[in-house]
Amino acid sequence: MGTRRRRPRVHELAPLLRPKPIVWSSRRRRLDSALTIADLRTVARRRTPRSVFDYTDGAAEGEISLRRARETFDGLTFHPSVLRDVGVVDTSTTILGARSELPFSFAPTGFTRMMQHEGEPAVARVAERAGIPYALSTMGTTSIEEVAAAAPGGRRWFQLYVWKDRSAGEALMRRAAAAGYDALVLTVDVPVAGARLRDVRNGFSLPPALTAKTVLDAAMHPNWWVDLLTTEPLEFASLTSWDGPVAELLNSLFDPTMTLDDLAWVRSAWDGPLIIKGVQTVADAQRVVDAGADAIVLSNHGGRQLDRAPVPLRILPEVRAALGDEAEILLDTGVMSGADIVAALALGADSVMVGRAYLYGLMAGGEEGVQRAVDILGSEVRRTMALLGVGSVAELTPQHVTL
């Protein structure tokens, strides 16, 4: 006997005919349609000049280090524990002795106002609202003091490269301390600039040079160029102006002769927590902790320095076993989802740094885009923890993940 048909009643059709609320903001529509960081990357690529997008997205030489890092995250296996009470999932943790509402921080990134004109202040405000730390780069395009004013209640860290001119580095550390920055991130994996071939091929420089290629690109991305030309000139906020390739700038400024003994110089100028970023071996992790580091960042600079460098996630368990509780371990490189963050925490990281993820959000939609990136990562962290059967960050263990 066939299904009996009838004429639908009007009141039954009403729930099916409800129109979706109209979203008048094109930016809001773009961001609402982005469900993952990869979606934000797609929007960012569409809205940003190629040389700028490639500077953010790219890595060194064949980009093998970055690809391997992402493949490692993609290839891991989670092991959920079922029938656990996850009615409440607490994503907060302690980073350098203070509470962070989410188990990640915003990594330092240079040239942020070039990627989108709202720049570092927008990132700092989102970090403040989210209750997570934000590290301002030496190569930032907003001053130490302006970022502090933009997010006066936020946790601010200052990232320092080792300069040939030590007095300039000392001056920056004094300014950061006076402005209320509570930790110093010393990056040690840039004795010379990595070979970032996308940048070379694109003729990338700061400020962007007007060539036939950039004029054509301007026609494809008029909003970006209008924002660039109608806001404050794009320049470094913590050093003298520069006009030329970025690699030449790095090689002219940074000191390739620094050794472990020079950490004493940093300690003499900075008495707050010290984070050493760019550690890539177990031996170096132990050496810098023995020399007085409060925390390390297992990082190969997002794949932007030495190609074929170790994948931070792969060496994490061994580093944790070697250090025990001597120092906090942060991790970056290849992090594109909340699940990636959870995996790193389970394998021994105290917290994770994200860089490209929030920059894709910034390029996609300014401050709102950075907020969207945080919302995506936060919801993914919470959902992954619940599906693993853990109610707090402290419950994550290596038993939850295999590489």
Side-chain angles (χ1 to χ4, degrees), residues 41-99:
R41 178 183 179 274
T42 298
V43 177
R45 186 171 191 170
R46 190 167 63 241
R47 296 189 57 80
T48 311
R50 178 172 179 173
S51 63
V52 176
F53 177 83
D54 279 355
Y55 173 78
T56 305
D57 192 64
E61 302 186 37
E63 305 192 357
I64 296 167
S65 289
L66 178 58
R67 184 164 63 250
R68 285 177 177 172
R70 287 182 173 159
E71 288 172 350
T72 300
F73 279 113
D74 289 344
L76 62 80
T77 300
F78 281 122
H79 301 286
S81 182
V82 298
L83 298 176
R84 305 284 183 173
D85 182 356
V86 288
V88 176
V89 174
D90 182 6
T91 61
S92 69
T93 191
T94 299
I95 303 177
L96 289 177
R99 179 183 173 92

Side-chain angles (χ1 to χ4, degrees), residues 146-165:
E146 287 176 297
V147 169
R155 290 188 65 191
R156 299 179 305 279
W157 299 345
F158 183 67
Q159 178 269 333
L160 181 72
Y161 287 107
V162 180
W163 293 20
K164 294 174 183 176
D165 180 0

